[in-house]
Amino acid sequence: MQLAGIRHRPESEDTAVLAAHQLQVRLQTARDDVAQVEILFADSYLWQEGTTALERRIMQPGLATQGNQYWQTTLTVPTNRVVYAFLITDTIGATVGYGEGGFFDDVATNWQTVGNYFHMPYMHVSDAELPPAWVKETVWYQIFPERFANGVRQNDPANVQPWGAGRVHRDSFYGGDLPGITAHLDDLAALGVNGLYLCPIFTSPSNHKYDTIDHFEIDPHFGTKADFQALVDGAHARGMRVMLDAVFNHFGEQSPQWQDVIKNGEQSRFADWFHIHGWPVGRDPKTKRLNYETFATGAAMPKVNTQNPAVQAYLIDVTKYWIEQFGIDAWRFDVADEVDHGFWRALCGALRAIKPDVYLLGESWHSSQSLVGNGQFNAVMNYPLTQPILALFNGQLNPEDYVGKTNLELMMYRQPNQQAMFNALDTHDTPRLLTTLHGQLTKFKSALTLLMLLPGSPCIYYGTEVAMAGGADPDNRRCMNWQPDEQEQQVRQFVTRLIKFRRQQADFLATSQLTWTIDGHCLILTRTDVEQTIQGRFNLGAQAVSTVSGVSPILTAGITANEMAPGGFELTVA
Ligand code: ARE
Ligand code: CA
């Protein structure tokens, strides 16, 4: 047996309180090495006292990564206190016990020895911080407000360009605003999305507004507070949730706080609001390096000292304000991975206290176990799950490795968080999906379909529904195409049907079992429970393959007669 492959950590993502008395347990072993895993468990006090017996249960094989196999089961624990150990039998029949002290051989006599059992001293549903139930039923739509729709000409910036004209530059303005979004809420409802994620809308000099001046004011080019209230109310009336973007890692250099630091230097009452290492703030004449910390390497976004209690109180007030005054449903936190956990705990706790079903999403591009749960976010922007989809359809990742990487990401988080992960194939920070896939519409549809079949809360970037193209920032922020041609209209119909399917099956797709099969050049994703099976079959080879006969697919791309073109897919429900 490959003991080195065996791992379990209590109260990590390996254990999850799913509901009162329900504890999901995962164990990792080496792949293709283990034939059976049994979990032995009991309430430790009752077991010692002799009033309850040790229970035994066979664990189910779950997902496999490139090197490991996961095993999973859900225990019912009426007293909420449980000790547990694993009995692992390999493919040649050897058995070993595994508990918090490591491995033990004599299973029959050694189970009471200290260290043979893992301990869950008490399961608190409150510690589980279950994400709000509405999130897994949500299909998001991300809007970059400057580029979605221009509802009001009077609020346009002075240097505004005609809608859609010319190449998009870093400093282009086209006049998009909040009334523009409100005016299109019916279109969004017809598309079927039920969550709006707006990039920053607070006062800022840039078109992207990640350099905030005043967190309590709407940027005048985007409209007024009344415009924002109308947008939130209009969205809610159509069953759509609203998520705003908070940029708390840094302020804009034009913020009054930073301007005060420039003006008053060390005497500024905001001197402790930033990470300043020399006075006056600026560049060292010799090294040309900044003597204060910023986002990335530019000077324009001074990094905020979120360990300062005054800063914490100010930023918590900001987030409460937009919830309490305007009724927003969710916050996305920019650059969440570069901000301290203590601040996030204080902030998330304060928001959950005033709105228990608030969705709190961190922006982090990498494995983020330390930010998810643990008193912090419900989820993160799940780039590690979605980027392999792009590589798969671009032929940069073979199906076997795709499956291994995807399963690794799925196992990164507890199941309730996995269901709330923010899954997007493109955003305002990445090239657009169609462009990443070299303009291939069949693959574009397949990639979106694969996204929708995975657990998580999927997001469509504005314009994806009409197959907009766009390279890296700023080209990915072109003006919304409001005059789609016939082909783009067909894409819109496809995306509408896909979203409808996803929302009808949301609960099923969150919880049902997930298995992958590789059949020649086809990748098959099967989601199944006792009542239903949904299957997506994707052709990743260079040749056409025959379609599966006998079942009529509910959604397809690249199918003619009985053939599925390269990059095509068929989706069936049985
Ligand atoms: C733009 C250009 C820069 C240029 C700069 C100055 O992209 O190349 O140097 O302008 O003119 C916002 C704007 C951007 C702007 C940026 C700085 O939207 O247009 O940049 O401000 O002025 C990392 C971070 C992640 C961050 C991305 C952009 O980890 O948090 O970089 N994302 C957020 C927002 C952005 C926003 C900011 C942060 C700043 O979503 O829109 O930018 O508030 C790898 C790395 C990741 C990295 C990722 C993307 O995967 O591992 O860490 O993300 O690539 O670069
Ligand atoms: Ca306008």
Side-chain angles (χ1 to χ4, degrees):
M1 191 178 312
Q2 295 183 49
L3 297 184
I6 296 173
R7 202 210 65 168
H8 172 84
R9 281 177 55 222
E11 296 204 64
S12 72
E13 64 277 9
D14 293 340
T15 60
V17 178
L18 301 182
H21 314 299
Q22 300 292 312
L23 183 71
Q24 188 177 62
V25 181
R26 289 178 189 157
L27 172 77
Q28 186 183 295
T29 67
R31 189 175 163 152
D32 303 325
D33 185 48
V34 167
Q36 180 183 290
V37 178
E38 239 186 313
I39 185 167
L40 318 184
F41 64 103
D43 176 303
S44 58
Y45 295 103
L46 298 178
W47 182 31
Q48 274 166 35
E49 173 186 282
T51 50
T52 192
L54 189 65
E55 289 186 60
R56 302 172 75 121
R57 162 114 28 109
I58 305 279
M59 294 179 81
Q60 296 304 312
L63 300 177
T65 66
Q66 286 160 310
N68 292 101
Q69 173 68 50
Y70 280 89
W71 304 79
Q72 193 161 294
T73 195
T74 301
L75 308 177
T76 302
V77 185
T79 61
N80 290 320
R81 304 174 305 212
V82 66
V83 294
Y84 57 97
F86 304 96
L87 272 191
I88 306 165
T89 305
D90 70 10
T91 46
I92 352 179
T95 296
V96 69
Y98 175 55
E100 70 176 7
F103 299 101
F104 55 94
D105 284 330
D106 188 351
V107 179
T109 57
N110 268 356
W111 45 259
Q112 287 196 67
T113 309
V114 173
N116 283 357
Y117 278 70
F118 289 104
H119 286 248
M120 182 71 186
Y122 198 93
M123 295 156 48
H124 295 273
V125 182
S126 57
D127 283 343
E129 297 165 356
L130 298 173
W134 59 266
V135 177
K136 61 179 188 292
E137 286 150 25
T138 299
V139 176
W140 295 96
Y141 188 84
Q142 182 191 351
I143 293 179
F144 190 80
E146 223 282 313
R147 304 293 153 72
F148 185 64
N150 189 353
V152 175
R153 287 281 140 88
Q154 293 87 310
N155 64 18
D156 286 359
N159 49 348
V160 76
Q161 287 177 259
W163 196 254
R167 267 190 78 83
V168 178
H169 295 286
R170 296 223 172 279
D171 49 4
S172 305
F173 283 92
Y174 290 92
D177 53 29
L178 302 181
I181 301 171
T182 307
H184 285 286
L185 286 175
D186 283 333
D187 296 327
L188 297 176
L191 181 63
V193 295
N194 57 341
L196 298 182
Y197 155 39
L198 308 185
C199 282
I201 60 171
F202 310 129
T203 335
S204 131
S206 64
N207 52 36
H208 54 70
K209 315 228 171 285
Y210 282 93
D211 46 354
T212 319
I213 292 179
D214 187 343
H215 302 82
F216 285 101
E217 292 296 336
I218 304 280
D219 189 276
H221 299 309
F222 283 0
T224 63
K225 284 185 176 169
D227 291 334
F228 182 58
Q229 189 69 69
L231 168 52
V232 174
D233 293 347
H236 286 171
R238 290 165 180 83
M240 286 177 207
R241 303 289 206 303
V242 177
M243 176 159 70
L244 289 185
D245 206 328
V247 190
F248 291 171
N249 173 67
H250 46 270
F251 286 177
E253 62 180 347
Q254 293 184 29
S255 62
Q257 295 89 346
W258 184 249
Q259 287 300 314
D260 195 87
V261 164
I262 292 178
K263 187 162 163 247
N264 298 315
E266 262 176 292
Q267 307 318 315
S268 168
R269 67 188 181 100
F270 297 110
D272 292 339
W273 279 47
F274 300 94
H275 296 268
I276 299 169
H277 305 302
W279 300 97
V281 289
R283 287 193 187 272
D284 182 295
K286 279 197 218 110
T287 64
K288 301 284 177 244
R289 289 203 158 210
L290 292 169
N291 60 8
Y292 59 94
E293 295 178 33
T294 61
F295 169 70
T297 52
M301 294 176 166
K303 185 171 170 67
V304 171
N305 177 10
T306 45
Q307 283 139 46
N308 178 340
V311 174
Q312 294 197 357
Y314 170 80
L315 294 177
I316 291 172
D317 275 355
V318 169
T319 47
K320 283 164 102 173
Y321 175 75
W322 295 96
I323 292 176
E324 288 175 336
Q325 299 298 314
F326 297 88
I328 67 160
D329 307 281
W331 278 108
R332 178 257 193 203
F333 297 96
D334 193 57
V335 204
D337 56 343
E338 296 185 34
V339 174
D340 60 293
H341 298 288
F343 168 59
W344 288 139
R345 282 193 196 97
L347 181 141
C348 293
L351 295 187
R352 291 191 177 108
I354 60 163
K355 187 174 173 66
D357 73 339
V358 67
Y359 176 50
L360 302 174
L361 172 68
E363 188 215 12
S364 166
W365 289 54
H366 304 282
S367 54
S368 305
Q369 293 100 323
S370 69
L371 287 166
V372 173
N374 306 307
Q376 298 162 83
F377 306 111
N378 300 121
V380 289
M381 295 186 82
N382 208 7
Y383 288 106
L385 185 86
T386 53
Q387 284 175 334
I389 297 178
L390 307 175
L392 175 74
F393 284 103
N394 269 340
Q396 295 153 335
L397 203 56
N398 64 49
E400 288 80 5
D401 287 340
Y402 167 76
V403 168
K405 283 177 188 294
T406 301
N407 289 349
L408 182 69
E409 290 310 319
L410 290 170
M411 291 295 101
M412 198 77 75
Y413 306 103
R414 296 175 166 102
Q415 184 176 297
N417 301 101
Q418 182 194 88
Q419 295 168 353
M421 283 288 148
F422 190 87
N423 292 348
L425 291 170
D426 51 1
T427 66
H428 68 298
D429 281 344
T430 70
R432 281 186 171 273
L433 176 60
L434 186 68
T435 301
T436 302
L437 297 177
H438 308 287
Q440 300 178 76
L441 266 183
T442 302
K443 289 185 174 176
F444 171 91
K445 292 177 181 171
S446 295
L448 283 171
T449 303
L450 181 49
L451 173 80
M452 294 284 178
L453 290 175
L454 291 171
S457 199
C459 182
I460 304 284
Y461 185 41
Y462 81 97
T464 291
E465 74 273 32
V466 286
M468 276 174 59
D473 169 12
D475 191 42
N476 54 358
R477 301 164 182 190
R478 296 182 194 173
C479 291
M480 176 66 184
N481 170 11
W482 290 112
Q483 265 122 30
D485 65 22
E486 202 180 316
Q487 193 184 42
E488 292 158 351
Q489 289 288 9
Q490 279 167 13
V491 173
R492 189 185 157 92
Q493 281 166 21
F494 171 86
V495 175
T496 307
R497 287 171 62 197
L498 181 61
I499 293 172
K500 187 173 177 202
F501 156 81
R502 163 75 200 198
R503 285 191 51 197
Q504 280 169 347
Q505 300 290 348
D507 283 332
F508 173 84
L509 291 170
T511 53
S512 57
Q513 203 189 323
L514 182 156
T515 46
W516 302 97
T517 319
I518 295 166
D519 175 17
H521 291 292
C522 283
L523 174 67
I524 302 166
L525 168 55
T526 307
R527 304 296 312 268
T528 186
D529 69 7
V530 284
E531 279 162 15
Q532 181 176 260
T533 297
I534 292 182
Q535 205 164 71
R537 183 164 170 264
F538 301 87
N539 180 8
L540 296 158
Q543 311 296 326
V545 296
S546 332
T547 55
V548 175
S549 55
V551 207
S552 62
I554 62 153
L555 219 51
T556 63
I559 306 270
T560 38
N562 297 322
E563 293 223 310
M564 175 155 69
F569 83 93
E570 50 187 344
L571 177 65
T572 55
V573 179

